Amino acid sequence: MTRILLNTGKGGVGKTSIAAATALLSAERGHRTLVVSTDIAHSLGDAFDVPLGPEPSEIRPNLWGQEPDVYYNIERYWGTIQRYVTDLFAWQGLDEVMAEEMTVLPGMDELGNLLWIADHVESGRYDVIVVDAAPTGETLRLLSMPEASRWWVERIAPISRRLSRLGRPVIERLVGVPVPNDEVYEAAERLLRRLSDVHGLLADPDTTSVRITLALDKLSIAEARRSFTYFHLFGYPSDLVICNRVLPAASGPYFAKLREAQQGYLPTVEHEFGPVPVRTVPQFDHEMVGVDRLREIGKALFGDIDPATAFYRGRPYRVAREDGLYVMRVELPFMHRDEVKLARHGDELVLQAGGWRRTLVLPRALIDAPTRGAKMEDGNLEIQFEAPNRDARGGRR
């Protein structure tokens, strides 16, 4: 089974160095390891001090690196869709070069980078895939896309295709605008189903671990709290929190106040993010570039432990039967009850936490069960459902 280690964090906290060090140590422990960036501002090659390209290239024995390219990704994953959009822009009077440039829509580069993960898992070439993800906001937006894709594949696309078949010849004759054909819809559906595959991989705690890197300062910790909550909201398991660039005791009087502040924050982080373990990496007195320096980071972070180890396995939500009721518990650490909103539509539960929204498909046992109420308790949202009565033969009454 391939392990996926997704590293993210606020911009500037050193997540790329942590990802690179994790991959290096994994390779040196005998795992065939790939480290890939989903951040459009690639810096993996800079961390290793080697050039990296849109396909995996060998850095050293057992270790490969990749910095995907947006145009390479477009041709690989949605060439058919791009050709249709290019025709559409050209119909509006744009020249061919400008029309092709306009098809690179915001988010397509990060999306293509994410799709590579499923390809690499299916290839079977790697034991461990380390992802140097974009800063947390972009990563969360990207990871919410697989769930949104389900709406297109199951509901919108079939309707759109039927309307296209009925109206396409008429529209094209009347106004000349290019209308997507079945080939374009099929390409879009393949793409969105591929996103669903990625979601399945990243939401499996036996396959994937999300690791959040932070600095021991107020702003970084606040963002880590939010991202930790939202990863749980979307069902992505976090197994490690990494405090990077922690000043050592011998850092001298000039940094005494900063070290004191860091040491004051550390117990808070350990308490708030528990039971997910917290590990620290010291602030080194030299630039951490190249294999030898990255090895120092890896050893400081993991010691003799295999970096592919799952340090914690949690369940973002679960359902249990208690006192004649079904109770669904959703982990939402750091979230206040006033920030949570719920709505139910048939077999779907719409959960909004802060500025993020997720649609949960209810388990079969809860589809016909009326909702009784909800409350927040110890970082868990508890939603109560009536348990349907059953007759002696096991059927519902």
Side-chain angles (χ1 to χ4, degrees):
M1 181 184 294
T2 304
R3 280 281 284 144
I4 302 170
L5 309 177
L6 192 149
N7 292 265
T8 187
K10 188 175 183 292
V13 298
K15 64 176 180 57
T16 296
S17 297
I18 295 295
T22 299
L24 176 63
L25 200 62
S26 172
E28 293 182 344
R29 298 282 164 85
H31 302 302
R32 296 171 301 163
T33 303
L34 170 72
V35 57
V36 57
S37 174
T38 64
D39 190 348
I40 57 173
H42 299 306
S43 54
L44 267 179
D46 298 329
F48 283 104
D49 201 21
V50 297
L52 297 175
E55 290 275 356
S57 57
E58 188 172 23
I59 298 174
R60 55 187 294 107
N62 268 348
L63 180 60
W64 292 262
Q66 180 184 14
E67 291 182 340
D69 172 80
V70 59
Y71 292 101
Y72 192 90
N73 288 345
I74 288 173
E75 185 58 35
R76 180 182 177 91
Y77 290 111
W78 48 79
T80 302
I81 302 169
Q82 184 200 30
R83 284 188 285 275
Y84 164 70
V85 177
T86 300
D87 291 343
L88 189 62
F89 281 126
W91 172 80
Q92 289 285 344
L94 293 177
D95 65 71
E96 188 175 342
V97 174
M98 180 64 74
E100 186 171 340
E101 287 292 320
M102 291 289 289
T103 62
V104 183
L105 303 177
M108 291 179 74
D109 37 9
E110 299 104 317
L111 183 59
N113 298 344
L114 192 65
L115 292 169
W116 272 104
I117 297 172
D119 289 355
H120 290 317
V121 170
E122 287 188 1
S123 75
R125 296 173 186 162
Y126 308 105
D127 305 311
V128 178
I129 298 172
V130 180
V131 182
D132 174 30
T136 46
E138 288 83 352
T139 296
L140 285 162
R141 177 174 55 83
L142 197 59
L143 293 181
S144 67
M145 292 184 72
E147 186 144 313
S149 72
R150 180 174 58 85
W151 284 81
W152 173 274
V153 171
E154 294 180 0
R155 303 187 180 192
I156 305 302
I159 297 172
S160 300
R161 291 181 72 170
R162 285 197 295 271
L163 291 175
S164 176
R165 290 193 189 104
L166 293 171
R168 183 168 173 261
V170 176
I171 295 172
E172 288 188 340
R173 274 200 308 270
L174 289 175
V175 297
V177 61
V179 177
N181 56 26
D182 278 354
E183 185 183 8
V184 174
Y185 280 109
E186 287 166 4
E189 288 170 19
R190 282 196 304 272
L191 177 66
L192 295 172
R193 287 194 177 95
R194 196 62 172 162
L195 271 176
S196 181
D197 294 340
V198 173
H199 178 270
L201 288 170
L202 297 181
D204 181 355
D206 292 325
T207 300
T208 300
S209 296
V210 174
R211 296 178 177 177
I212 300 173
T213 299
L214 57 83
L216 287 174
D217 62 60
K218 186 174 183 178
L219 295 179
S220 182
I221 294 170
E223 174 144 339
R225 287 192 188 107
R226 286 191 292 268
S227 60
F228 190 79
T229 299
Y230 298 142
F231 281 127
H232 279 260
L233 172 63
F234 286 104
Y236 297 109
S238 302
D239 83 326
L240 189 63
V241 174
I242 301 163
C243 301
N244 195 25
R245 300 171 182 159
V246 179
L247 290 166
S251 53
Y254 183 81
F255 293 102
K257 289 186 177 180
L258 181 56
R259 172 175 159 74
E260 183 181 354
Q262 287 186 340
Q263 293 303 305
Y265 282 125
L266 184 56
T268 302
V269 170
E270 292 173 335
H271 172 73
E272 290 187 340
F273 288 91
V276 175
V278 175
R279 288 176 168 259
T280 62
V281 176
Q283 172 69 58
F284 293 92
D285 61 357
H286 42 262
E287 191 175 27
M288 306 309 288
V289 174
V291 168
D292 292 337
R293 298 307 192 194
L294 292 174
R295 188 181 293 112
E296 289 183 63
I297 295 175
K299 289 182 176 178
L301 177 56
F302 297 107
D304 296 328
I305 300 175
D306 187 339
T309 298
F311 291 93
Y312 174 75
R313 281 187 172 90
R315 297 179 62 187
Y317 70 92
R318 55 198 180 277
V319 178
R321 187 160 182 167
E322 300 175 4
D323 300 325
L325 298 173
Y326 282 115
V327 180
M328 173 184 280
R329 289 185 174 86
V330 185
E331 293 183 12
L332 294 175
F334 312 118
M335 191 63 61
H336 189 268
R337 59 179 297 176
D338 296 336
E339 300 174 278
V340 179
K341 297 179 181 178
L342 286 169
R344 182 174 178 179
H345 305 287
D347 64 344
E348 296 177 339
L349 189 70
V350 180
L351 170 58
Q352 182 169 331
W356 292 88
R357 179 179 296 177
R358 185 188 181 191
T359 301
L360 298 175
V361 179
L362 294 173
R364 185 179 298 275
L366 301 183
I367 291 176
D368 297 327
T371 309
R372 285 280 300 273
K375 63 179 180 178
M376 286 290 295
E377 189 171 285
D378 297 328
N380 288 281
L381 172 64
E382 296 187 1
I383 309 164
Q384 297 177 338
F385 300 83
E386 289 184 11
N389 294 323
R390 298 180 182 275
D391 59 28
R393 291 169 296 179
R396 294 185 177 182
R397 293 186 295 165

